[in-house]
Amino acid sequence: MRNIIMTIVLLIIAVMLSVMYFKNLNPPGQQSGKVMGNIPADAALIFEYKNDQGFYDIFKNSPLLSTLIGDEKSAELNDLKVSVLDNPLLKPLFNGQSLFISLHPQKPTDAIDFLITTSSTADIGDELDQIARQKNGKVLIHEMQLGGKKGYNIYLNATKRRFYLMLADDKTFSASFSQQLVENAAKYKKEKHEKYFVQLSDQQNSNSIANLYVNYTQLSPLFDQLFSTKNTDIFRSFRMLSAIGALSLNYKTDALMFNGISHIQEQGPKSYLDIYRYQQPTVNKLKSIFPASTAYSINFAISDPAKFEDNLFQWQLKAGFTAEKKAVLNRIKKETSIDLNKEFINLLGNEFAIITTRYQEKIALVQLKNGLNLRPFMVNISTMVNDDMGLFNYDKLPFYLLGDAFSIFRRPYFMIADNYLIICNSQSGLTEYYKNYTKGNFLSKSDDFTRFDNLQAERSNVAFFINFKNAGAILKDDLKPAYAKAFEDKKSGWNNYYAAGYQFTASDGDFYTNFYMRLNQPDTAAINPTSN
């Protein structure tokens, strides 16, 4: 009995000591959460990585990140690393710490500045004061007040830029090339950060090379800074999603790949994309007939058309569109005796998509269960231009039948080819697509697309795609001049990426999310020229 009692006592002591030990540890996830709490909530994107040699070695000779952010920003970050993070006095205090680089749109200017937020193992103020007293050709440091807190003005001689650093009370600090942004961080009152950003678990954080955090509700102000027009359709549905996401990096030498979960905020406004949370993931096949001229697209996939129709009705009811929808459908029934909504849903397949070509034509592709059965209904509600093509007699039918993303088709032309309903705003655009369809002139026939598509998940519910070469002219026109230059730099511009894709796959009421960007295939003929 004595042995049993002694064993129990020792076990209790061991448990108490373990609890006390782990309570005093500072787990990576908790430290990351504490640091993230200092990032102002207007951040749209946050990139996190560990400040250790392993990360820098991975990307040392890789063009992935430098191509993404451009030579100028790459030079600034490199100079910052060499002059500050790698300084012998500071390096031991930052080694292994998580660095968060967040993007913040700055008004009234068109600038998008980044804020670096991290922590140190000890107060860095004394070390910065010591560096300031040294004669150093790389940096000049002066103490200053930033938002009422102790800060420093750091002049980086290599890039001729001033860098502002603000010390917080909890061994964290915020820094940026934008003084305004650092002062905003100094004045920021911590809120419940889980409202704005997902916090990864300790295990996920420690096992990932890098993480990308997304606050979807802050993408609109970010894109407003990028684009000349606020209503650009390229990211319209994406921007209206009320969600927060955390994606982890999967490293490939020629591609950026992130995957994780986007959590829908139930208390936020409901977007059109919310409808697809209630469908099962579906194989994406429609992309096989996207035209070779595709600049960008959004592809929708559903497992249950009847359930989709019911969820769409509920969304349109809340959005206030049901009265006008019923009026149009009742008019059609009165004039043609067709219950269009019923007949359309009965024949709707599992996929539909909107494509914008490099010529800025908008084309909708809708998969059907039986194209021949739908054709009589389409003919009766249209004015036929010829035996194969008609013009809808009623306004906004694609919007009423398929939802918000199709509002760009007010009274379009249509054609049925095999088991596909094809819609376009212009007769010439529809004719051109049909010509490419009959010739098999599809994007999927190119080796570059095949290489990119091999990265993507086979099943999803919403998939965004952009081909940078085909979209280049459109983006140069739509982006503000400062950002349009990113597509003009032949050495490090975004046109060195072939494409980007963003997939949402329904998962327990949220979206499992994949993000891809792949570099162009190197021109081997140019690298290894042969003589005749």
Side-chain angles (χ1 to χ4, degrees):
M1 177 64 72
R2 184 190 304 173
N3 288 338
I4 294 175
I5 293 173
M6 286 297 296
T7 300
I8 293 173
V9 170
L10 289 173
L11 180 62
I12 292 173
I13 293 173
V15 170
M16 291 176 64
L17 289 174
S18 298
V19 170
M20 292 174 66
Y21 173 73
F22 285 108
K23 186 177 181 180
N24 287 293
L25 281 179
N26 196 9
Q30 291 182 5
Q31 178 68 13
S32 295
K34 183 183 77 169
V35 177
M36 285 183 71
N38 291 322
I39 301 173
D42 66 347
L45 301 168
I46 301 176
F47 180 70
E48 176 197 9
Y49 68 93
K50 296 291 189 299
N51 181 41
D52 58 44
Q53 194 57 43
F55 176 84
Y56 297 112
D57 287 343
I58 288 174
F59 290 97
K60 183 177 181 181
N61 297 312
S62 171
L64 284 170
L65 295 180
S66 60
T67 296
L68 183 65
I69 65 175
D71 287 342
E72 183 179 347
K73 293 297 183 186
S74 295
E76 289 175 354
L77 289 173
N78 184 66
D79 189 24
L80 178 63
K81 178 181 180 297
V82 171
S83 302
V84 180
L85 294 180
D86 288 347
N87 184 285
L89 290 174
L90 298 174
K91 188 172 182 178
L93 305 182
F94 295 138
N95 193 40
Q97 298 297 304
S98 289
L99 266 73
F100 297 85
I101 301 177
S102 51
L103 288 183
H104 302 258
Q106 296 292 287
K107 291 185 176 182
T109 67
D110 289 336
I112 297 176
D113 289 308
F114 60 82
L115 180 74
I116 297 174
T117 309
T118 188
S119 61
S120 56
T121 56
D123 193 330
I124 65 172
D126 292 340
E127 283 73 13
L128 285 172
D129 292 336
Q130 185 175 341
I131 296 171
R133 292 191 293 268
Q134 297 175 353
K135 291 185 178 180
N136 189 331
K138 292 182 179 180
V139 294
L140 294 173
I141 301 178
H142 300 284
E143 186 176 335
M144 67 181 296
Q145 287 290 304
L146 289 166
K149 295 184 179 180
K150 184 178 181 180
Y152 294 87
N153 180 334
I154 304 173
Y155 182 76
L156 304 176
N157 196 46
T159 52
K160 310 299 182 186
R161 293 290 308 276
R162 294 191 183 279
F163 188 72
Y164 302 91
L165 187 149
M166 178 273 297
L167 300 177
D169 300 328
D170 53 358
K171 296 180 184 177
T172 65
F173 69 84
S174 301
S176 176
F177 289 100
S178 166
Q179 182 177 347
Q180 176 191 340
L181 189 52
V182 176
E183 290 179 341
N184 290 345
K187 298 173 184 177
Y188 177 66
K189 294 182 180 179
K190 292 184 181 180
E191 302 181 41
K192 292 183 177 180
H193 227 57
E194 61 269 17
K195 289 170 55 180
Y196 308 104
F197 293 102
V198 175
Q199 178 61 53
L200 290 174
S201 68
D202 298 352
Q203 183 175 359
Q204 285 177 291
N205 194 287
S206 61
N207 290 339
S208 63
I209 303 170
N211 302 309
L212 180 67
Y213 303 90
V214 186
N215 183 352
Y216 292 89
T217 58
Q218 286 299 315
L219 291 177
S220 276
L222 178 66
F223 288 135
D224 287 346
Q225 296 290 86
L226 293 171
F227 288 91
S228 300
T229 58
K230 289 188 176 182
N231 293 323
T232 180
D233 65 288
I234 186 171
F235 292 120
R236 186 170 178 270
S237 297
F238 190 73
R239 292 166 61 171
M240 298 176 72
L241 184 66
S242 182
I244 52 176
L247 316 178
S248 296
L249 175 68
N250 291 322
Y251 178 71
K252 285 181 68 69
T253 56
D254 62 347
L256 288 173
M257 297 178 59
F258 289 88
N259 57 65
I261 289 290
S262 293
H263 293 288
I264 303 300
Q265 295 181 305
E266 297 294 348
Q267 302 305 316
K270 300 305 176 187
S271 81
Y272 171 65
L273 298 188
D274 278 77
I275 297 170
Y276 298 89
R277 291 193 290 152
Y278 308 107
Q279 299 289 320
Q280 295 298 313
T282 302
V283 176
N284 299 163
K285 296 179 180 179
L286 201 56
K287 59 190 173 185
S288 65
I289 61 168
F290 285 5
S293 58
T294 297
Y296 52 89
S297 65
I298 177 170
N299 192 96
F300 303 96
I302 58 176
S303 57
D304 187 340
K307 188 175 184 180
F308 166 78
E309 193 275 334
D310 181 61
N311 290 332
L312 176 61
F313 174 81
Q314 296 300 325
W315 181 83
Q316 290 175 331
L317 180 64
K318 291 179 181 179
F321 295 119
T322 50
E324 60 183 73
K325 177 178 179 178
K326 285 181 178 179
V328 171
L329 294 177
N330 287 338
R331 182 185 164 201
I332 291 173
K333 190 168 186 179
K334 181 179 179 181
E335 296 176 357
T336 67
S337 300
I338 296 172
D339 187 344
L340 183 62
N341 194 70
K342 177 183 176 182
E343 301 297 347
F344 183 80
I345 292 301
N346 285 341
L347 292 169
L348 180 63
N350 298 112
E351 287 186 87
F352 33 95
I354 299 171
I355 299 150
T356 301
T357 71
R358 63 186 304 173
Y359 310 109
Q360 301 196 45
E361 287 283 7
K362 307 287 185 186
I363 301 166
L365 301 177
V366 182
Q367 185 190 55
L368 304 171
K369 294 174 182 175
N370 190 312
L372 287 176
N373 287 350
L374 182 67
R375 191 178 188 280
F377 302 120
M378 293 294 101
V379 170
N380 282 333
I381 64 166
S382 305
T383 298
M384 298 305 293
V385 178
N386 54 44
D387 289 342
D388 299 315
M389 185 187 302
L391 176 67
F392 284 177
N393 291 333
Y394 303 90
D395 284 345
K396 300 172 65 173
L397 284 181
F399 167 69
Y400 296 137
L401 296 173
L402 293 170
D404 183 64
F406 293 79
S407 62
I408 57 175
F409 302 101
R410 188 169 185 88
R411 191 177 287 199
Y413 293 86
F414 85 92
M415 180 182 291
I416 293 178
D418 299 322
N419 288 324
Y420 301 107
L421 172 65
I422 309 164
I423 297 171
C424 186
N425 282 325
S426 74
Q427 185 175 346
S428 60
L430 189 55
T431 300
E432 182 65 22
Y433 175 78
Y434 185 67
K435 187 188 301 181
N436 287 321
Y437 178 82
T438 55
K439 291 181 178 179
N441 188 17
F442 301 131
L443 191 68
S444 58
K445 296 292 184 69
S446 72
D447 292 338
D448 285 334
F449 181 82
T450 300
R451 288 179 62 250
F452 178 83
D453 194 47
N454 286 339
L455 297 175
Q456 298 194 93
E458 182 184 29
R459 297 172 182 267
S460 73
N461 294 102
V462 183
F464 298 86
F465 170 80
I466 181 168
N467 178 302
F468 289 115
K469 182 178 180 180
N470 286 345
I474 299 174
L475 291 171
K476 286 176 186 177
D477 288 340
D478 290 347
L479 289 169
K480 293 178 180 177
Y483 304 109
K485 290 180 181 178
F487 292 90
E488 298 174 350
D489 189 341
K490 300 301 180 185
K491 292 184 178 180
S492 63
W494 276 39
N495 52 23
N496 285 326
Y497 278 95
Y498 167 72
Y502 208 95
Q503 289 180 300
F504 288 126
T505 305
S507 176
D508 296 327
D510 290 316
F511 285 124
Y512 186 79
T513 306
N514 295 295
F515 170 51
Y516 318 90
M517 289 183 70
R518 188 160 205 160
L519 290 168
N520 285 317
Q521 183 77 8
D523 187 348
T524 54
I527 297 173
N528 300 305
T530 57
S531 57
N532 294 326

